[in-house]
């Protein structure tokens, strides 16, 4: 079992809580066809704003309901896009007019959200986009942004008055606001850097990441900082996106704290027509899989333009909550199991080092016996987690003898009922000696 390297931020709660909600909410909820719609469809700023900025009116927005949905799902923290790549700000910032109070929403949308989630005991995380397709000083480059196909000459013209350093200062100003006006912020999630060999991408020099970093650590020394500022060190968490790593995530030969961020259906912002929604069972497995490899899961919701979680999101959150209510003991406080316990076929193991309990998650129902290599003599008691019903350690059935063929004396044979319990993923709880 590996232990992640120590970093400046306080990750102690984070590696315990394991499960958070990502929220992508901005003007892009109105086109409802991906948060990158401005880039994908090369929509000019004035057109985008005339259509969406003037019509952003989330009249059904009730962050209490969002917080409840997250809490009921078993999530322990949330990370919201205070500003995404489009540049639009959810809060009442002093530094731009491109903000929620100037839309028909007419108010700071961030504050009530923070209050609602905190009120339920969830921790607060702010996502902040380094990219900005709206700011007049953001230097336009050919890789990212709505102007990616303009000629070199045209680009030079468009950039004549733009000063990236002023944009970097704008970011510091906004981060100061976010870290001083909304109470304690637990996670700060910058997104993202894209240095390119042609020098036309953007990275630490363009963001002035070192200055930004110093400011963050001064204002919020314990905040958990993600790894997308293009800095070699000082960050706390690696952020694999839309996949689960194969095992521990390493950085320069050392294991690090990590959090996989995943969507329900592919896009992060509300996408009306996307048909690729994952099932509740798959999502439960994704969460288990992350924890079994020592990581967290940040699962995303894209609320609608009227300010609601849509039915597809709600039903999945509810389904996950149903599973979590009875099984969260195999998630909270858990991590990868010690190496001597071999993962049985079609299973995932998690382990709670404090209680010394080991959890076997059955992704496929075994044909009567579960062969546990390396477990013999190490287990005191076994039960299903959902109903605390005992699983006898001594396989007593007359077939057990022949079933043992191929096992060693270190193999423990668990005999399971013929029919799988009616839960998304059955879990066996082992009390270790
Ligand atoms: C990306 C995307 C984006 C999303 C994010 C979440 O880098 O640009 O739209 O916000 O990842 O990880």
């Amino acid at each position: 079992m590996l232990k992640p390297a120590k970093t400046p931020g306080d990750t102690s709660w984070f590696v315990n809580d394991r499960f958070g909600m990502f929220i992508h909410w901005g003007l892009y909820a109105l086109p409802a066809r991906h948060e990158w719609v401005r880039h994908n469809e090369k929509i000019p700023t004035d057109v985008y704003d005339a259509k969406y900025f003037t019509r952003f009116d989330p009249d059904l927005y009730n962050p209490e309901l969002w917080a409840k949905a997250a809490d009921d799902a078993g999530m322990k923290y949330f990370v919201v896009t205070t500003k995404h790549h489009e540049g639009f700000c959810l809060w009442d910032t002093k530094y731009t007019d491109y903000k929620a109070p100037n839309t028909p929403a007419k108010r700071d949308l961030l504050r009530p959200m923070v209050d609602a989630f905190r009120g339920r005991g969830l921790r607060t995380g702010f996502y902040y986009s380094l990219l900005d397709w709206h700011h007049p000083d953001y230097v336009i480059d050919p890789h990212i942004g709505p102007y990616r196909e303009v000629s070199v000459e045209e680009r030079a013209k468009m950039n004549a008055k733009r000063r990236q350093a002023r944009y970097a200062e704008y970011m510091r100003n906004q981060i100061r606001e976010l870290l001083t006006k909304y109470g304690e912020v637990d996670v700060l999630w910058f997104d993202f850097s894209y240095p390119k060999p042609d020098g036309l991408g953007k990275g630490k020099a363009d963001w002035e990441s070192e200055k930004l970093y110093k400011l963050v650590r001064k204002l919020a020394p314990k905040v958990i900082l993600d790894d997308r500022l293009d800095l070699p060190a000082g960050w706390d968490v690696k952020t694999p996106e839309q996949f689960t790593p194969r095992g521990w995530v390493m950085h320069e030969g050392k294991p690090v704290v990590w959090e996989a961020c995943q969507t329900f259906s592919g896009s992060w912002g509300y996408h009306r027509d996307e048909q690729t929604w994952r099932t509740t069972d798959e999502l439960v497995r994704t969460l288990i899989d992350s924890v079994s490899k020592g990581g967290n899961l940040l699962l995303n919701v894209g609320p609608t333009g009227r300010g609601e979680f849509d039915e597809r999101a709600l039903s999945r959150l509810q389904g996950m909550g149903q599973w979590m209510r009875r099984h969260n003991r195999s998630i909270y406080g858990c991590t990868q199991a010690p190496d001597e316990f071999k993962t049985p076929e079609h299973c995932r193991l998690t382990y709670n080092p404090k209680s010394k309990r080991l959890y076997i998650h059955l992704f496929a129902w075994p044909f009567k016996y579960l062969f546990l290599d390396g477990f013999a003599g190490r287990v005191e008691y076994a039960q299903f987690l959902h109903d605390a019903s005992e699983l006898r350690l001594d396989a007593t059935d007359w077939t057990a003898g022949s079933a043992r063929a191929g096992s060693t004396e270190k193999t423990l044979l668990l005999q399971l009922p013929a029919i799988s319990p009616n839960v998304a993923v059955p879990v066996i709880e082992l009390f270790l000696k």
Side-chain angles (χ1 to χ4, degrees):
M1 201 172 56
L2 297 170
K3 232 186 139 89
K6 188 100 194 70
T7 54
D10 175 15
T11 53
S12 59
W13 65 269
F14 189 77
V15 299
N16 183 78
D17 291 356
R18 292 301 185 203
F19 189 25
M21 175 180 278
F22 218 169
I23 300 174
H24 275 66
W25 199 36
L27 302 180
Y28 44 80
L30 294 182
R33 47 182 193 272
H34 207 282
E35 75 284 355
W36 276 64
V37 62
R38 227 199 112 187
H39 166 99
N40 294 341
E41 298 177 15
K42 295 183 224 116
I43 306 174
T45 312
D46 49 341
V47 175
Y48 194 80
D49 292 350
K51 278 175 118 179
Y52 311 127
F53 184 73
T54 58
R55 294 198 175 90
F56 188 66
D57 185 14
D59 60 326
L60 299 177
Y61 175 48
N62 179 354
E64 302 288 339
L65 297 178
W66 296 13
K68 182 174 186 317
D71 192 11
D72 289 350
M75 292 160 161
K76 295 288 191 187
Y77 61 102
F78 82 111
V79 179
V80 60
T81 53
T82 57
K83 175 190 94 163
H84 201 259
H85 309 337
E86 64 180 0
F88 175 71
C89 301
L90 285 181
W91 80 103
D92 191 8
T93 170
K94 267 204 324 223
Y95 300 97
T96 178
D97 293 332
Y98 204 49
K99 57 182 177 181
N102 294 337
T103 66
K106 287 203 181 72
R107 62 197 189 280
D108 183 324
L109 297 170
L110 183 62
R111 191 169 302 280
M113 200 186 307
V114 170
D115 291 345
F117 280 83
R118 252 193 217 129
R120 283 197 167 256
L122 278 83
R123 302 239 185 192
T124 301
F126 289 161
Y127 166 110
Y128 183 90
S129 174
L130 299 164
L131 277 71
D132 196 315
W133 300 332
H134 185 269
H135 197 280
D137 279 317
Y138 189 90
V139 169
I140 291 163
D141 65 61
H143 293 292
I144 301 274
Y147 310 105
R148 67 194 190 284
E149 272 152 36
V150 301
S151 68
V152 176
E153 297 74 34
E154 238 178 302
R155 210 168 54 237
K157 239 191 266 164
M158 295 173 94
N159 280 333
K161 293 212 176 99
R162 290 171 180 263
R163 293 288 171 272
Q164 188 70 24
R166 279 199 301 248
Y167 173 67
E169 192 187 346
Y170 169 77
M171 291 203 288
R172 290 195 293 278
N173 285 332
Q174 290 206 316
I175 291 300
R176 191 176 303 108
E177 276 185 332
L178 289 171
L179 292 180
T180 54
K181 296 197 154 88
Y182 293 86
E184 187 164 350
V185 177
D186 303 289
V187 177
L188 193 55
W189 223 100
F190 286 108
D191 190 36
F192 60 82
S193 299
Y194 52 104
K196 301 276 180 191
D198 63 7
L200 295 173
K202 285 187 176 56
K204 56 176 180 287
D206 309 277
W207 318 131
E208 300 185 7
S209 295
E210 264 120 29
K211 274 197 199 169
L212 193 52
Y213 179 80
K214 274 192 197 131
L215 177 75
V216 168
R217 285 288 178 230
K218 192 176 96 197
L219 298 174
K222 291 196 300 187
V223 78
I224 296 178
L225 191 67
D226 75 335
D227 63 331
R228 298 190 180 187
L229 268 176
D230 188 29
L231 289 173
W235 45 264
D236 305 291
V237 57
K238 266 219 164 292
T239 56
E241 179 173 325
Q242 301 281 40
F243 71 95
T244 307
R246 190 169 174 195
W248 269 100
V249 175
M250 311 292 279
H251 179 71
E252 292 171 352
K254 292 202 185 91
V256 291
V257 173
W258 63 271
E259 172 195 66
C261 49
Q262 306 252 8
T263 55
F264 288 133
S265 60
S267 116
W268 298 85
Y270 175 63
H271 196 312
R272 183 190 58 208
D273 300 337
E274 214 160 43
Q275 297 298 326
T276 45
W277 280 68
R278 299 164 73 196
T279 64
T280 302
D281 286 12
E282 282 175 278
L283 295 162
V284 169
R285 283 157 206 248
T286 306
L287 171 62
I288 296 165
D289 197 36
S290 299
V291 180
S292 78
K293 288 157 182 162
N296 283 30
L297 176 66
L298 186 63
L299 187 58
N300 180 74
V301 180
T304 69
R306 295 196 68 186
E308 290 190 299
F309 290 0
D310 82 332
E311 295 308 325
R312 296 168 295 186
L314 282 173
S315 73
R316 281 157 183 85
L317 290 170
Q318 278 155 8
M320 292 186 87
Q322 218 166 46
W323 184 87
M324 279 293 277
R325 194 172 72 80
R326 291 181 179 145
H327 297 94
N328 65 40
R329 229 148 71 197
S330 76
I331 300 293
Y332 302 145
C334 288
T335 187
Q336 194 189 48
D339 293 338
E340 61 262 38
F341 298 100
K342 255 195 97 225
T343 306
E345 229 183 345
H346 310 303
C347 291
R348 296 290 183 281
L349 301 180
T350 66
Y351 174 66
N352 185 322
K354 277 211 188 101
S355 67
K356 301 228 172 349
R357 293 186 200 176
L358 198 120
Y359 298 92
I360 307 174
H361 303 77
L362 300 151
F363 281 15
W365 192 244
F367 305 115
K368 188 163 178 171
Y369 295 115
L370 189 64
F371 301 94
L372 301 173
D373 292 324
F375 289 59
R378 309 212 41 190
V379 180
E380 217 166 62
Y381 188 77
Q383 63 180 13
F384 275 131
L385 184 53
H386 69 282
D387 64 354
S389 63
E390 180 178 10
L391 290 164
R392 294 176 59 170
L393 291 173
D394 45 339
T396 51
D397 195 274
W398 65 275
T399 55
S402 46
R404 273 203 158 272
S407 298
T408 70
E409 69 279 5
K410 288 198 177 130
T411 307
L412 175 71
L413 214 60
L414 271 193
Q415 190 180 314
L416 300 180
I419 294 176
S420 155
N422 186 21
V423 293
V425 175
V427 181
I428 297 168
E429 183 174 48
L430 299 179
F431 296 66
L432 299 184
K433 282 186 186 161

